[in-house]
Amino acid sequence: MKKQLKNKAAAFAAGLLGMALICASLISCTPKNSAKKDSASKYRNVIYTYTLGDVTYPEMYTHVIISFFKADNVGNLFEKSFPHTPETVKTFKKEHPNVKVLGAIGGGSYSEFLTPVMLDEEYRTRLAKQLCAFVASHHLDGIDLDWEYYEDYPESNAAYLDFAQQLRKKLPKNAVLSMAGQKAPQFYRDESIVTMMKDVLDFTNVMTYDFDYDNKMNRTVGYNGSFTETKLTMNDYAKALGGDKSKLNTGLPFYGSKFKIKDTEIHFENEPVHSFSNGSNYTATTAALGVEGAKNPQAYDDDDGVAISVKGHDLFVFDNETTLTNKVNWSCSEGFGGVMEWVASDDDAACTLQKAVSNALKAQK
């Protein structure tokens, strides 16, 4: 569905909606240093972050995942890749006892180092032992697995499962073990790793974003956080778990894509991009459009699942308060266990997107 806001009245109404959401957020948010439990939502609210300091309102969350651990290609953990001392984590948990703090291994930047480790029994056993020791020494509540970009799925799945089983066996009984789930169909269809790990993981954070990769290659407009693709992917993941949606968190991106265009008009999905450069690049949208610009896009599309604006010859496709609220409402209505946000530092200084997600979760019955 395409909906372009062509007149000032529509833009003004959208602005009032954004202001109302922000006001509600300011009233309901828990102060940073309060240890009061946020019990208004029955759903998981998981956020990835590079540091604990980037999470301004920890009590909005059930889980905070610090990204990323790095290892060498023989399974030795680079402890210095973790940004905090044990005392920092201990203090954070004392101030926020209802928030679980996990460390993530891999990610888009470090997954290339994981591949030789995962495919060698000795190396992955070494890494599993070192990770578990680190969890204990740094007062963490668990590990999030994020091995991306592997290709030999039968062999890789068996290795990945073995690694997860080793972690589960070595971690404390109450430790959390989660996984970042790729959007690639091989990851969740047929004899998938999602199915294989269903009894090992506490939950999977599904990366329902980066759906515009093929568009970039083809120089057409794409929707990074496509609502349509989000729905399809989440339902495919649910099928892989035999219909159990409770262990799945719907991914919500705090960033968008910027496409170069020759004109200054709104363009929608799959329309050609007349690029000055090659393709598009990811962006924290509020940094480019400003807070008000992100709140009041020039158009919505994909059942109001993406926002679109033009600034000069840059076309921005992104998520804002409206699109994220719509996705949260859908996810909860479908019975999924919660949501996951990537990443805290891509939000604005007022935590506009984080507050919108938190308030949408609290509003669920």
Side-chain angles (χ1 to χ4, degrees):
M1 180 182 73
K2 297 178 175 64
K3 183 166 65 178
Q4 191 159 349
L5 306 179
K6 292 185 177 179
N7 55 61
K8 292 183 179 180
F12 179 72
L16 289 177
L17 173 62
M19 290 174 64
L21 286 168
I22 285 296
C23 291
S25 300
L26 292 172
I27 292 171
S28 62
C29 278
T30 306
K32 182 174 182 178
N33 292 321
S34 171
K36 182 180 178 182
K37 184 177 181 181
D38 182 356
S39 58
S41 174
K42 62 182 179 180
Y43 298 94
R44 282 186 299 272
N45 191 3
V46 180
I47 192 163
Y48 283 88
T49 184
Y50 298 123
T51 70
L52 291 173
D54 287 338
V55 184
T56 306
Y57 298 97
E59 292 300 326
M60 288 198 291
Y61 296 98
T62 57
H63 302 77
V64 172
I65 303 179
I66 303 170
S67 309
F68 291 100
F69 284 119
K70 183 180 179 182
D72 65 19
N73 58 9
V74 294
N76 292 304
L77 183 66
F78 289 162
E79 294 191 4
K80 291 185 178 180
S81 63
F82 190 78
H84 299 299
T85 65
E87 191 59 34
T88 299
V89 178
K90 185 177 181 180
T91 300
F92 180 91
K93 291 181 62 179
K94 183 178 180 180
E95 294 176 350
H96 311 289
N98 302 303
V99 183
K100 300 290 186 183
V101 181
L102 283 67
I105 180 77
S109 300
Y110 297 148
S111 284
E112 61 180 299
F113 300 101
L114 279 182
T115 298
V117 175
M118 290 295 172
L119 297 180
D120 184 284
E121 183 178 1
E122 177 185 352
Y123 298 165
R124 66 176 178 265
T125 297
R126 177 182 299 144
L127 180 58
K129 289 180 179 178
Q130 292 186 17
L131 275 172
C132 291
F134 192 92
V135 166
S137 67
H138 280 64
H139 312 289
L140 296 174
D141 295 297
I143 293 293
D144 179 72
L145 306 175
D146 192 2
W147 180 26
E148 302 179 23
Y149 310 132
Y150 63 84
E151 295 181 357
D152 189 347
Y153 284 91
E155 181 183 3
S156 297
N157 284 349
Y160 207 2
L161 176 62
D162 177 68
F163 182 65
Q165 288 172 331
Q166 289 191 55
L167 290 172
R168 176 56 77 194
K169 184 176 181 180
K170 294 178 174 68
L171 287 169
K173 288 185 178 180
N174 62 344
V176 178
L177 187 61
S178 62
M179 178 177 69
Q182 298 180 40
K183 66 183 184 302
Q186 299 94 321
F187 206 76
Y188 52 78
R189 291 180 183 166
D190 303 322
E191 295 299 320
S192 70
I193 191 61
V194 176
T195 303
M196 295 167 69
M197 284 201 188
K198 65 180 181 179
D199 296 322
V200 182
L201 300 174
D202 291 289
F203 54 82
T204 296
N205 300 308
V206 185
M207 297 187 288
T208 43
Y209 39 78
D210 295 345
F211 289 116
D212 57 357
Y213 178 81
D214 288 340
N215 296 91
K216 295 177 193 174
M217 298 300 103
N218 298 328
R219 292 194 181 188
T220 58
V221 175
Y223 294 166
N224 170 57
S226 167
F227 202 1
T228 298
E229 293 298 330
T230 292
K231 294 173 182 177
L232 292 172
T233 301
M234 291 303 298
N235 285 324
D236 279 340
Y237 263 82
K239 290 177 184 177
L241 293 180
D244 183 6
K245 299 180 179 181
S246 66
K247 289 188 173 184
L248 297 174
N249 299 329
T250 303
L252 305 173
F254 284 174
Y255 64 92
S257 291
K258 180 177 70 175
F259 296 86
K260 285 290 185 181
I261 55 177
K262 286 185 177 180
D263 56 28
T264 57
E265 301 297 322
I266 288 290
H267 293 270
F268 294 97
E269 190 173 29
N270 297 322
E271 292 185 20
V273 175
H274 303 290
S275 181
F276 291 131
S277 58
N278 191 8
S280 71
N281 60 287
Y282 293 126
T283 179
T285 313
T286 53
L289 297 177
V291 175
E292 291 302 318
K295 290 179 186 176
N296 302 303
Q298 293 165 292
Y300 286 99
D301 196 13
D302 194 32
D303 291 328
D304 291 352
V306 297
I308 307 173
S309 284
V310 172
K311 182 178 181 181
H313 294 285
D314 291 328
L315 177 76
F316 293 90
V317 180
F318 57 99
D319 276 87
N320 67 359
E321 297 152 279
T322 298
T323 65
L324 292 173
T325 297
N326 289 341
K327 290 173 182 177
V328 171
N329 290 342
W330 173 83
S331 179
C332 295
S333 70
E334 289 293 313
F336 291 103
V339 297
M340 169 273 286
E341 293 133 77
W342 178 270
V343 55
S345 58
D346 279 352
D347 202 353
D348 60 42
C351 303
T352 300
L353 302 182
Q354 295 175 63
K355 292 174 182 177
V357 172
S358 178
N359 286 334
L361 286 170
K362 290 177 184 178
Q364 304 303 316
K365 304 299 183 181

